[in-house]
Amino acid sequence: HIFCASPQIFNRRLSSQHTDWLSLHKNMVKIDLKTLSERARRASKENKQFFKTLKKNRQRELDDVIHRIHQEVFDETDCLECGNCCRSLGPLITDRDIERMAQALRKKPSEVAETYLRIDEDNDYVFKSMPCPFLGTDNYCCIYEDRPKACREYPPYRSEEILPALFALH
């Protein structure tokens, strides 16, 4: 499960003059990851309206809101209970990532690339398969200290990259 502010609550926070983040946090809903895709499909019209609202807000204000919500959610989230990111989102792997992983695994970089990676359609290194090959059954990462940069920086909240991608969805 993850906790998420519903679009209605998020919209009210963006449009209000006050920033009662505790109120927002109390109104977050628990989301079952197994049914998330179906719920998103059913709420397609509402989600499109939500994105229209996001576009109308100033980017800096939106960044502030997203960062605050992120902090509140992650204060309540135990990644080891979930691990969904590591099971479903494949990070881009840099040459430096390969070197660090090779050192941690005591293998040559070429062995790491051959064993765990493939080159995708954008000519980037990604894991051959998901879930991440370094994710244990207990949701611990066996190369945590040497994990790829994309994993260390997750979730990415740089609006100049994220917002255009979100808006392109609609």
Side-chain angles (χ1 to χ4, degrees), residues 63-110:
D63 283 349
D64 291 344
V65 170
I66 289 173
H67 284 282
R68 286 181 183 133
I69 291 173
H70 167 263
Q71 188 59 50
E72 290 175 5
V73 170
F74 268 74
D75 286 347
E76 297 291 325
T77 302
D78 180 356
C79 292
L80 296 175
E81 286 290 318
C82 177
N84 192 53
C85 301
C86 302
R87 279 194 294 282
S88 60
L89 302 175
L92 295 180
I93 310 293
T94 67
D95 290 338
R96 179 66 187 117
D97 292 331
I98 295 170
E99 292 170 14
R100 276 197 322 279
M101 290 187 295
Q103 188 174 7
L105 297 168
R106 294 191 168 108
K107 294 184 176 196
K108 294 179 182 177
S110 61

Short mmCIF file of all heavy atoms in Angstrom, two decimals, residues 63-110:
data_model
loop_
_atom_site.label_atom_id
_atom_site.label_comp_id
_atom_site.label_asym_id
_atom_site.label_seq_id
_atom_site.Cartn_x
_atom_site.Cartn_y
_atom_site.Cartn_z
N ASP A 63 5.97 22.92 -7.47
CA ASP A 63 7.15 22.25 -6.92
C ASP A 63 7.08 22.20 -5.40
O ASP A 63 7.34 21.16 -4.79
CB ASP A 63 8.43 22.98 -7.31
CG ASP A 63 8.85 22.73 -8.74
OD1 ASP A 63 8.28 21.83 -9.38
OD2 ASP A 63 9.75 23.44 -9.20
N ASP A 64 6.74 23.32 -4.79
CA ASP A 64 6.66 23.37 -3.33
C ASP A 64 5.62 22.39 -2.80
O ASP A 64 5.86 21.69 -1.82
CB ASP A 64 6.31 24.79 -2.85
CG ASP A 64 7.44 25.78 -3.10
OD1 ASP A 64 8.59 25.33 -3.34
OD2 ASP A 64 7.18 26.99 -3.05
N VAL A 65 4.47 22.34 -3.45
CA VAL A 65 3.42 21.43 -3.02
C VAL A 65 3.89 19.98 -3.15
O VAL A 65 3.72 19.17 -2.23
CB VAL A 65 2.13 21.66 -3.85
CG1 VAL A 65 1.11 20.56 -3.58
CG2 VAL A 65 1.54 23.02 -3.54
N ILE A 66 4.48 19.65 -4.29
CA ILE A 66 4.92 18.27 -4.53
C ILE A 66 5.98 17.87 -3.50
O ILE A 66 5.93 16.77 -2.95
CB ILE A 66 5.43 18.10 -5.97
CG1 ILE A 66 4.23 18.15 -6.93
CG2 ILE A 66 6.19 16.80 -6.13
CD1 ILE A 66 4.59 18.17 -8.38
N HIS A 67 6.94 18.74 -3.23
CA HIS A 67 7.98 18.41 -2.25
C HIS A 67 7.40 18.19 -0.86
O HIS A 67 7.80 17.27 -0.14
CB HIS A 67 9.06 19.49 -2.22
CG HIS A 67 9.98 19.42 -3.39
ND1 HIS A 67 11.00 18.51 -3.47
CD2 HIS A 67 10.03 20.14 -4.53
CE1 HIS A 67 11.64 18.67 -4.62
NE2 HIS A 67 11.07 19.65 -5.27
N ARG A 68 6.46 19.02 -0.47
CA ARG A 68 5.85 18.86 0.86
C ARG A 68 5.05 17.57 0.96
O ARG A 68 5.13 16.85 1.95
CB ARG A 68 4.97 20.07 1.19
CG ARG A 68 5.78 21.29 1.53
CD ARG A 68 4.87 22.46 1.87
NE ARG A 68 5.66 23.64 2.12
CZ ARG A 68 5.41 24.83 1.60
NH1 ARG A 68 4.38 25.02 0.82
NH2 ARG A 68 6.19 25.86 1.87
N ILE A 69 4.28 17.28 -0.08
CA ILE A 69 3.50 16.04 -0.08
C ILE A 69 4.44 14.84 -0.07
O ILE A 69 4.22 13.88 0.67
CB ILE A 69 2.54 15.99 -1.28
CG1 ILE A 69 1.43 17.02 -1.10
CG2 ILE A 69 1.94 14.59 -1.44
CD1 ILE A 69 0.53 17.16 -2.32
N HIS A 70 5.48 14.92 -0.88
CA HIS A 70 6.45 13.82 -0.91
C HIS A 70 7.02 13.55 0.47
O HIS A 70 7.08 12.41 0.93
CB HIS A 70 7.59 14.15 -1.89
CG HIS A 70 8.76 13.23 -1.75
ND1 HIS A 70 9.86 13.56 -1.00
CD2 HIS A 70 8.97 11.99 -2.21
CE1 HIS A 70 10.71 12.55 -1.03
NE2 HIS A 70 10.20 11.60 -1.76
N GLN A 71 7.42 14.59 1.17
CA GLN A 71 8.00 14.41 2.50
C GLN A 71 6.98 13.80 3.46
O GLN A 71 7.32 12.89 4.22
CB GLN A 71 8.51 15.75 3.06
CG GLN A 71 9.29 15.58 4.35
CD GLN A 71 10.50 14.67 4.18
OE1 GLN A 71 11.29 14.86 3.27
NE2 GLN A 71 10.63 13.68 5.03
N GLU A 72 5.75 14.28 3.41
CA GLU A 72 4.72 13.74 4.29
C GLU A 72 4.44 12.27 4.00
O GLU A 72 4.30 11.46 4.92
CB GLU A 72 3.43 14.55 4.15
CG GLU A 72 3.55 15.94 4.73
CD GLU A 72 2.31 16.79 4.48
OE1 GLU A 72 1.32 16.27 3.92
OE2 GLU A 72 2.34 17.97 4.84
N VAL A 73 4.36 11.92 2.72
CA VAL A 73 4.09 10.54 2.35
C VAL A 73 5.26 9.64 2.75
O VAL A 73 5.06 8.58 3.34
CB VAL A 73 3.78 10.42 0.84
CG1 VAL A 73 3.74 8.97 0.41
CG2 VAL A 73 2.46 11.11 0.53
N PHE A 74 6.48 10.08 2.46
CA PHE A 74 7.62 9.24 2.77
C PHE A 74 7.88 9.12 4.26
O PHE A 74 8.46 8.14 4.72
CB PHE A 74 8.87 9.69 2.01
CG PHE A 74 8.99 8.97 0.70
CD1 PHE A 74 8.15 9.29 -0.35
CD2 PHE A 74 9.90 7.94 0.52
CE1 PHE A 74 8.22 8.61 -1.55
CE2 PHE A 74 9.99 7.25 -0.68
CZ PHE A 74 9.14 7.59 -1.71
N ASP A 75 7.41 10.07 5.05
CA ASP A 75 7.49 9.93 6.51
C ASP A 75 6.61 8.78 6.99
O ASP A 75 6.84 8.22 8.05
CB ASP A 75 7.06 11.23 7.21
CG ASP A 75 8.13 12.32 7.10
OD1 ASP A 75 9.28 12.01 6.71
OD2 ASP A 75 7.80 13.47 7.40
N GLU A 76 5.58 8.45 6.21
CA GLU A 76 4.64 7.39 6.56
C GLU A 76 4.88 6.10 5.78
O GLU A 76 4.16 5.12 5.99
CB GLU A 76 3.20 7.85 6.30
CG GLU A 76 2.77 9.03 7.13
CD GLU A 76 2.62 8.65 8.60
OE1 GLU A 76 2.19 7.52 8.89
OE2 GLU A 76 2.95 9.50 9.45
N THR A 77 5.83 6.08 4.88
CA THR A 77 6.03 4.95 3.99
C THR A 77 7.26 4.16 4.41
O THR A 77 8.33 4.73 4.60
CB THR A 77 6.21 5.44 2.53
OG1 THR A 77 5.05 6.18 2.15
CG2 THR A 77 6.40 4.28 1.58
N ASP A 78 7.10 2.86 4.52
CA ASP A 78 8.22 1.96 4.78
C ASP A 78 8.53 1.25 3.47
O ASP A 78 7.80 0.33 3.07
CB ASP A 78 7.85 0.97 5.88
CG ASP A 78 8.99 0.01 6.20
OD1 ASP A 78 10.04 0.06 5.53
OD2 ASP A 78 8.82 -0.79 7.14
N CYS A 79 9.57 1.69 2.79
CA CYS A 79 9.92 1.12 1.49
C CYS A 79 10.14 -0.39 1.56
O CYS A 79 9.87 -1.10 0.60
CB CYS A 79 11.15 1.80 0.92
SG CYS A 79 10.86 3.52 0.48
N LEU A 80 10.62 -0.87 2.70
CA LEU A 80 10.86 -2.30 2.84
C LEU A 80 9.56 -3.10 2.94
O LEU A 80 9.56 -4.30 2.70
CB LEU A 80 11.75 -2.57 4.06
CG LEU A 80 13.15 -1.97 3.95
CD1 LEU A 80 13.92 -2.17 5.25
CD2 LEU A 80 13.90 -2.54 2.77
N GLU A 81 8.47 -2.44 3.27
CA GLU A 81 7.17 -3.10 3.28
C GLU A 81 6.62 -3.23 1.87
O GLU A 81 5.83 -4.12 1.59
CB GLU A 81 6.16 -2.32 4.13
CG GLU A 81 6.39 -2.44 5.61
CD GLU A 81 6.06 -3.83 6.14
OE1 GLU A 81 5.04 -4.41 5.72
OE2 GLU A 81 6.85 -4.32 6.95
N CYS A 82 7.02 -2.33 0.98
CA CYS A 82 6.44 -2.25 -0.36
C CYS A 82 7.38 -2.82 -1.41
O CYS A 82 7.13 -3.88 -1.96
CB CYS A 82 6.09 -0.80 -0.66
SG CYS A 82 5.43 -0.53 -2.32
N GLY A 83 8.44 -2.09 -1.73
CA GLY A 83 9.40 -2.52 -2.74
C GLY A 83 8.87 -2.45 -4.16
O GLY A 83 9.53 -2.93 -5.08
N ASN A 84 7.70 -1.86 -4.36
CA ASN A 84 7.11 -1.84 -5.70
C ASN A 84 7.98 -1.12 -6.73
O ASN A 84 8.05 -1.52 -7.87
CB ASN A 84 5.71 -1.22 -5.65
CG ASN A 84 4.96 -1.45 -6.94
OD1 ASN A 84 4.83 -2.58 -7.39
ND2 ASN A 84 4.48 -0.39 -7.54
N CYS A 85 8.64 -0.06 -6.32
CA CYS A 85 9.50 0.69 -7.25
C CYS A 85 10.56 -0.23 -7.84
O CYS A 85 10.83 -0.22 -9.03
CB CYS A 85 10.16 1.86 -6.55
SG CYS A 85 8.99 3.03 -5.85
N CYS A 86 11.16 -1.04 -6.98
CA CYS A 86 12.24 -1.93 -7.41
C CYS A 86 11.73 -3.14 -8.18
O CYS A 86 12.49 -3.81 -8.87
CB CYS A 86 13.05 -2.39 -6.20
SG CYS A 86 13.75 -1.03 -5.25
N ARG A 87 10.45 -3.42 -8.04
CA ARG A 87 9.85 -4.54 -8.79
C ARG A 87 9.34 -4.10 -10.16
O ARG A 87 9.21 -4.93 -11.05
CB ARG A 87 8.70 -5.16 -8.00
CG ARG A 87 9.16 -6.13 -6.93
CD ARG A 87 8.01 -6.96 -6.42
NE ARG A 87 7.02 -6.18 -5.70
CZ ARG A 87 7.16 -5.76 -4.45
NH1 ARG A 87 8.26 -6.03 -3.79
NH2 ARG A 87 6.22 -5.06 -3.87
N SER A 88 9.03 -2.82 -10.32
CA SER A 88 8.36 -2.43 -11.56
C SER A 88 9.03 -1.31 -12.35
O SER A 88 8.75 -1.18 -13.54
CB SER A 88 6.92 -2.03 -11.25
OG SER A 88 6.90 -0.95 -10.34
N LEU A 89 9.87 -0.50 -11.73
CA LEU A 89 10.49 0.62 -12.44
C LEU A 89 11.96 0.32 -12.70
O LEU A 89 12.75 0.20 -11.78
CB LEU A 89 10.38 1.91 -11.61
CG LEU A 89 8.98 2.35 -11.24
CD1 LEU A 89 9.05 3.56 -10.32
CD2 LEU A 89 8.18 2.65 -12.48
N GLY A 90 12.31 0.22 -13.95
CA GLY A 90 13.70 -0.06 -14.31
C GLY A 90 14.49 1.22 -14.49
O GLY A 90 14.15 2.04 -15.34
N PRO A 91 15.53 1.41 -13.70
CA PRO A 91 16.33 2.63 -13.83
C PRO A 91 17.26 2.59 -15.04
O PRO A 91 17.62 1.51 -15.53
CB PRO A 91 17.15 2.64 -12.54
CG PRO A 91 17.34 1.18 -12.25
CD PRO A 91 16.05 0.52 -12.66
N LEU A 92 17.65 3.76 -15.52
CA LEU A 92 18.71 3.84 -16.51
C LEU A 92 20.02 3.61 -15.77
O LEU A 92 20.22 4.10 -14.66
CB LEU A 92 18.74 5.21 -17.19
CG LEU A 92 17.52 5.57 -18.03
CD1 LEU A 92 17.70 6.95 -18.64
CD2 LEU A 92 17.28 4.55 -19.11
N ILE A 93 20.91 2.87 -16.39
CA ILE A 93 22.18 2.51 -15.77
C ILE A 93 23.31 3.19 -16.54
O ILE A 93 23.42 3.03 -17.74
CB ILE A 93 22.40 0.98 -15.78
CG1 ILE A 93 21.19 0.22 -15.25
CG2 ILE A 93 23.67 0.60 -15.05
CD1 ILE A 93 20.90 0.41 -13.80
N THR A 94 24.12 3.97 -15.82
CA THR A 94 25.25 4.66 -16.45
C THR A 94 26.50 3.79 -16.40
O THR A 94 26.55 2.80 -15.67
CB THR A 94 25.54 5.99 -15.73
OG1 THR A 94 26.02 5.69 -14.40
CG2 THR A 94 24.30 6.88 -15.65
N ASP A 95 27.50 4.20 -17.16
CA ASP A 95 28.79 3.50 -17.11
C ASP A 95 29.37 3.53 -15.70
O ASP A 95 29.92 2.53 -15.23
CB ASP A 95 29.79 4.12 -18.10
CG ASP A 95 29.41 3.84 -19.55
OD1 ASP A 95 28.66 2.87 -19.81
OD2 ASP A 95 29.86 4.61 -20.43
N ARG A 96 29.22 4.65 -15.03
CA ARG A 96 29.71 4.76 -13.64
C ARG A 96 28.95 3.81 -12.72
O ARG A 96 29.53 3.20 -11.83
CB ARG A 96 29.58 6.22 -13.15
CG ARG A 96 30.04 6.43 -11.74
CD ARG A 96 31.55 6.20 -11.58
NE ARG A 96 31.89 6.25 -10.17
CZ ARG A 96 32.39 5.24 -9.48
NH1 ARG A 96 32.64 4.10 -10.07
NH2 ARG A 96 32.67 5.37 -8.21
N ASP A 97 27.65 3.66 -12.96
CA ASP A 97 26.86 2.70 -12.18
C ASP A 97 27.40 1.28 -12.37
O ASP A 97 27.51 0.52 -11.40
CB ASP A 97 25.39 2.72 -12.62
CG ASP A 97 24.66 4.01 -12.28
OD1 ASP A 97 25.04 4.67 -11.28
OD2 ASP A 97 23.71 4.34 -13.00
N ILE A 98 27.70 0.94 -13.60
CA ILE A 98 28.22 -0.40 -13.90
C ILE A 98 29.54 -0.62 -13.15
O ILE A 98 29.75 -1.69 -12.56
CB ILE A 98 28.40 -0.60 -15.42
CG1 ILE A 98 27.04 -0.55 -16.10
CG2 ILE A 98 29.12 -1.92 -15.71
CD1 ILE A 98 27.10 -0.50 -17.62
N GLU A 99 30.40 0.40 -13.14
CA GLU A 99 31.67 0.28 -12.42
C GLU A 99 31.45 0.07 -10.93
O GLU A 99 32.10 -0.79 -10.31
CB GLU A 99 32.52 1.54 -12.64
CG GLU A 99 33.02 1.70 -14.06
CD GLU A 99 33.64 3.07 -14.32
OE1 GLU A 99 33.93 3.80 -13.34
OE2 GLU A 99 33.82 3.41 -15.49
N ARG A 100 30.54 0.84 -10.34
CA ARG A 100 30.26 0.70 -8.90
C ARG A 100 29.66 -0.67 -8.58
O ARG A 100 30.03 -1.32 -7.60
CB ARG A 100 29.33 1.81 -8.41
CG ARG A 100 30.05 3.09 -8.05
CD ARG A 100 29.21 4.04 -7.19
NE ARG A 100 27.80 4.08 -7.53
CZ ARG A 100 27.26 4.78 -8.53
NH1 ARG A 100 28.04 5.52 -9.29
NH2 ARG A 100 25.98 4.76 -8.76
N MET A 101 28.70 -1.10 -9.40
CA MET A 101 28.08 -2.41 -9.18
C MET A 101 29.12 -3.52 -9.32
O MET A 101 29.14 -4.46 -8.52
CB MET A 101 26.92 -2.63 -10.15
CG MET A 101 25.71 -1.76 -9.86
SD MET A 101 24.24 -2.15 -10.86
CE MET A 101 24.79 -1.72 -12.51
N ALA A 102 29.99 -3.39 -10.31
CA ALA A 102 31.04 -4.40 -10.52
C ALA A 102 31.95 -4.49 -9.31
O ALA A 102 32.29 -5.58 -8.85
CB ALA A 102 31.84 -4.07 -11.78
N GLN A 103 32.33 -3.35 -8.78
CA GLN A 103 33.19 -3.33 -7.60
C GLN A 103 32.49 -3.99 -6.41
O GLN A 103 33.08 -4.80 -5.70
CB GLN A 103 33.58 -1.89 -7.27
CG GLN A 103 34.62 -1.78 -6.19
CD GLN A 103 35.08 -0.34 -5.99
OE1 GLN A 103 34.53 0.59 -6.57
NE2 GLN A 103 36.09 -0.17 -5.17
N ALA A 104 31.21 -3.66 -6.21
CA ALA A 104 30.45 -4.23 -5.09
C ALA A 104 30.29 -5.74 -5.25
O ALA A 104 30.32 -6.48 -4.26
CB ALA A 104 29.08 -3.57 -4.99
N LEU A 105 30.10 -6.20 -6.48
CA LEU A 105 29.89 -7.62 -6.74
C LEU A 105 31.19 -8.38 -6.96
O LEU A 105 31.16 -9.60 -7.16
CB LEU A 105 28.98 -7.77 -7.96
CG LEU A 105 27.57 -7.20 -7.82
CD1 LEU A 105 26.89 -7.14 -9.18
CD2 LEU A 105 26.77 -8.02 -6.83
N ARG A 106 32.30 -7.65 -6.99
CA ARG A 106 33.62 -8.23 -7.25
C ARG A 106 33.65 -8.96 -8.59
O ARG A 106 34.06 -10.11 -8.70
CB ARG A 106 34.04 -9.16 -6.10
CG ARG A 106 34.25 -8.41 -4.81
CD ARG A 106 34.89 -9.28 -3.76
NE ARG A 106 35.34 -8.48 -2.65
CZ ARG A 106 34.78 -8.47 -1.46
NH1 ARG A 106 33.75 -9.24 -1.22
NH2 ARG A 106 35.25 -7.72 -0.49
N LYS A 107 33.15 -8.24 -9.59
CA LYS A 107 33.13 -8.74 -10.96
C LYS A 107 33.69 -7.66 -11.87
O LYS A 107 33.81 -6.50 -11.48
CB LYS A 107 31.70 -9.05 -11.41
CG LYS A 107 31.06 -10.20 -10.69
CD LYS A 107 29.69 -10.49 -11.28
CE LYS A 107 29.09 -11.71 -10.61
NZ LYS A 107 27.97 -12.24 -11.36
N LYS A 108 33.99 -8.03 -13.08
CA LYS A 108 34.41 -7.05 -14.08
C LYS A 108 33.17 -6.33 -14.58
O LYS A 108 32.09 -6.91 -14.65
CB LYS A 108 35.10 -7.76 -15.25
CG LYS A 108 36.41 -8.41 -14.89
CD LYS A 108 37.00 -9.10 -16.09
CE LYS A 108 38.29 -9.80 -15.69
NZ LYS A 108 38.87 -10.54 -16.82
N PRO A 109 33.32 -5.04 -14.95
CA PRO A 109 32.18 -4.31 -15.50
C PRO A 109 31.52 -5.04 -16.68
O PRO A 109 30.29 -5.06 -16.79
CB PRO A 109 32.77 -2.97 -15.91
CG PRO A 109 33.92 -2.78 -14.97
CD PRO A 109 34.49 -4.17 -14.79
N SER A 110 32.32 -5.65 -17.53
CA SER A 110 31.76 -6.38 -18.68
C SER A 110 30.91 -7.56 -18.23
O SER A 110 29.89 -7.88 -18.86
CB SER A 110 32.87 -6.84 -19.62
OG SER A 110 33.76 -7.72 -18.94
#
